[in-house]
Amino acid sequence: MIVVDSSVWVDYFNGVETPASDRLDALLDLEPLAVGDIILTEVLQGFRHNRDYRTAKVFLTSLTVVDMLGYDLAIKAADNFHTLRKRGITVRKTADIIIATCCIEKKLSLLYSDRDFDVCCKHLGLRNALPDA
């Protein structure tokens, strides 16, 4: 299963073509996709118009919604943040380290276009769902 990050959903809903949003478009009818609860919040809070919000909410909640935190994952996310910081790398957003940690621990690939996840792939074993990335 592939988790799709908010960075990709935002581009997709705004009609911005990127390698990741193009990959999402190609996967929609072919592959089981998931959205994390944190990602769901990030994406939905960005809609300004009620109609767009409702449409996106119906669509996104039709996907598998993954619970991304809880006690064990909270501790593991903090451990991962600390591991990266010891290497001189700071992930800019707490949500990103939570998302990466959840995907790593649950063995899920992540489709993203946010560069913070690149270091999680390199140093923590996050799997990028974008081929040839």
Side-chain angles (χ1 to χ4, degrees):
M1 183 167 303
I2 296 172
V3 174
V4 181
D5 182 54
S6 58
S7 57
V8 179
W9 286 117
V10 168
D11 287 343
Y12 181 79
F13 285 128
N14 287 320
V16 177
E17 291 187 21
T18 66
S21 66
D22 290 346
R23 176 91 169 125
L24 170 59
D25 194 47
L27 291 172
L28 278 171
D29 293 324
L30 301 175
E31 188 82 29
L33 299 176
V35 62
D37 52 3
I38 297 167
I39 296 165
L40 185 62
T41 300
E42 288 179 324
V43 174
L44 290 178
Q45 70 187 9
F47 287 96
R48 293 185 179 162
H49 303 290
N50 288 339
R51 183 176 182 202
D52 296 336
Y53 174 84
R54 286 191 302 272
T55 300
K57 182 178 172 184
V58 168
F59 174 72
L60 291 170
T61 58
S62 73
L63 303 173
T64 300
V65 178
V66 176
D67 292 330
M68 299 202 111
L69 203 48
Y71 177 81
D72 291 336
L73 286 175
I75 298 298
K76 187 63 182 169
D79 291 345
N80 284 340
F81 184 90
H82 184 70
T83 295
L84 292 174
R85 189 167 53 186
K86 286 192 311 188
R87 293 181 176 171
I89 301 164
T90 301
V91 175
R92 296 173 295 154
K93 293 179 258 169
T94 300
D96 288 351
I97 198 69
I98 292 168
I99 293 164
T101 299
C102 176
C103 290
I104 293 163
E105 295 300 309
K106 295 184 179 191
K107 298 181 180 6
L108 302 168
S109 295
L110 181 65
L111 182 60
Y112 66 89
S113 60
D114 182 328
R115 64 185 165 97
D116 277 335
F117 293 113
D118 290 338
V119 297
C120 295
C121 291
K122 183 176 180 181
H123 298 287
L124 300 174
L126 176 64
R127 293 184 309 202
N128 188 342
L130 193 61
D132 304 320

